[in-house]
Amino acid sequence: MTHAIETRLVEKGYHLPEAPAPAANYVPYVKVGQTLYVSGQISQRPDGLVTGKLGDSMSVEEGAEAARLCALSLLAQVKAACDGDLARLKRVVKLTGFVNSTPDFIDQPKVINGASDLLGEVVGTGGAHARSAVSAASLPMGVAVEIEGIFELE
């Protein structure tokens, strides 16, 4: 039986990717009791990385789309951590979003809203979360956005 989160993903036109493999010496997630810590997920599509710098080569809307892609990767990691059972996701606790941006760019929260909005849409009331949205002078491989998350599991 398909869980409500996966049903809403499909209804909203989102595709949950396979959980991305780590790009360096770390694990994609760590479970401590009912808390799941997911490592930073970078902005990427099936055909490659979403790169760019907000305030220079990317618009806020393009940045928000990059953040949505990060949120989908976060959910993919949650699903992998729960042995394929996304129904075990009780709530999104906290996101920390990093935006590759110019020194004068001030709309990091609007960019990370792409991820927050998606999680609210598909997780429902359990998608409301604490959050930080900060600027970075650069991010790995030139990606536009990286987001890490903390989740509560059933």
Side-chain angles (χ1 to χ4, degrees), residues 30-107:
V30 172
K31 284 192 264 187
V32 179
Q34 298 308 106
T35 305
L36 179 69
Y37 299 85
V38 178
S39 296
Q41 300 297 298
I42 59 175
S43 52
Q44 60 184 343
R45 293 185 178 92
D47 62 346
L49 300 175
V50 177
T51 60
K53 188 171 284 285
L54 279 290
D56 181 27
S57 62
M58 292 187 82
S59 68
V60 170
E61 294 76 21
E62 291 169 318
E65 174 59 25
R68 279 188 285 280
L69 294 166
C70 293
L72 291 170
S73 290
L74 285 167
L75 288 174
Q77 294 293 2
V78 171
K79 185 174 180 176
C82 295
D83 299 320
D85 185 6
L86 201 49
R88 291 190 50 212
L89 173 58
K90 183 174 180 179
R91 77 166 297 123
V92 181
V93 176
K94 184 171 193 293
L95 299 181
T96 303
F98 303 92
V99 180
N100 186 353
S101 56
T102 60
D104 60 340
F105 185 77
I106 61 170
D107 287 329

Side-chain angles (χ1 to χ4, degrees), residues 102-124:
T102 60
D104 60 340
F105 185 77
I106 61 170
D107 287 329
Q108 292 83 0
K110 291 179 183 176
V111 170
I112 302 303
N113 277 348
S116 294
D117 292 347
L118 182 146
L119 292 169
E121 288 175 29
V122 301
V123 179

